[in-house]
């Protein structure tokens, strides 16, 4: 961006999307992006978890070894980072790309957990926050099983984590029940129309 543009351009906004693993965050965001109505860019998190079949390094996540991840953490390169599933893998949002995208006027989407959201709000209190809820815990289990991404152990960890995440949904400005992808995406779009 030129110096002149940077003086006049509108600064972007953060959109934080949380919700238990397998609730449909990625699926809903895909539908929201497909509307092509908002200047959305999905932030690519870093993680120490292994890639799933079909996931691409640099697109779905920056897949890092634990050593690499902790080195970046020590250098202060993360806006936020946490061990999302107790004793499991690290996940984090890199600070520099988010700052660049905001300076470019983008609406930067962070798909992060409740602890990460709280941390980001300390730096960006005007971030828009949305929590995606499953119609029921049984539906969440079925979706996680249907995705075929988890081992029996990681499935259990994710379900155990789900209830404690859901307990904090009231901290978010918008709550959306994902009973229909289209309906949920439209609810999110309406929220953006009013707030950005
Ligand atoms: P998350 O990003 O929250 O971990 P995903 O977007 O990967 O979740 O969705 C988990 C699984 O649930 C996927 O297989 C997806 O196709 C399915 N899914 C998402 N939303 C719905 C819905 N409204 N109805 C039925 N299945 C859904
Ligand atoms: P998955 O392993 O299914 O891709 O992600 C599991 C969970 O990790 C997601 O539901 C999301 O809440 C959380 N997550 C993903 N990226 C980040 C991140 O950068 N920071 C934090 N704090 N959580 C993340």
């Amino acid at each position: 961006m030129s110096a002149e543009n940077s003086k006049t351009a509108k600064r972007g906004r953060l959109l934080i999307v949380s919700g238990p693993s397998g609730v449909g965050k990625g699926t809903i965001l895909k539908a929201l992006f497909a509307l092509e109505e908002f200047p959305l860019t999905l932030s690519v998190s870093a993680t120490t978890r292994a890639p799933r079949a079909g996931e691409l390094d640099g697109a779905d996540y920056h897949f890092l070894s634990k050593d690499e991840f902790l080195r970046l953490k020590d250098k202060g390169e993360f806006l936020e980072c946490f061990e999302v599933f107790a004793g499991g893998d690290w996940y984090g949002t890199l600070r520099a790309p988010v700052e660049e995208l905001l300076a470019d006027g983008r609406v930067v989407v962070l798909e992060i957990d409740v602890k990460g959201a709280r941390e980001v709000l300390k730096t960006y209190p005007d971030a828009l926050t949305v929590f995606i809820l499953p119609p029921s815990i049984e539906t969440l289990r079925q979706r996680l099983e249907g995705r075929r991404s988890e081992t029996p152990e990681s499935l259990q960890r994710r379900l155990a984590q789900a209830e404690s995440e859901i307990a904090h949904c009231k901290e978010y400005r918008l709550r959306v029940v994902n009973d229909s992808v289209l309906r949920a995406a439209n609810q999110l779009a309406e929220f953006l129309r009013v707030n950005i």
Side-chain angles (χ1 to χ4, degrees), residues 19-21 25 45-46 49 52 55 61 80-82 84-85 91-93 111-113 115-116 147 150 158 165:
S21 174
K25 300 182 291 299
S45 293
R49 85 150 162 76
R52 294 179 189 136
E55 281 185 331
Y61 280 103
E80 61 75 33
C81 66
F82 288 95
V84 169
F85 304 105
Y91 293 78
T93 306
E111 211 188 307
I112 61 178
D113 76 340
K115 291 183 294 238
R147 193 169 68 182
E150 308 307 318
R158 278 156 200 264
E165 287 265 307

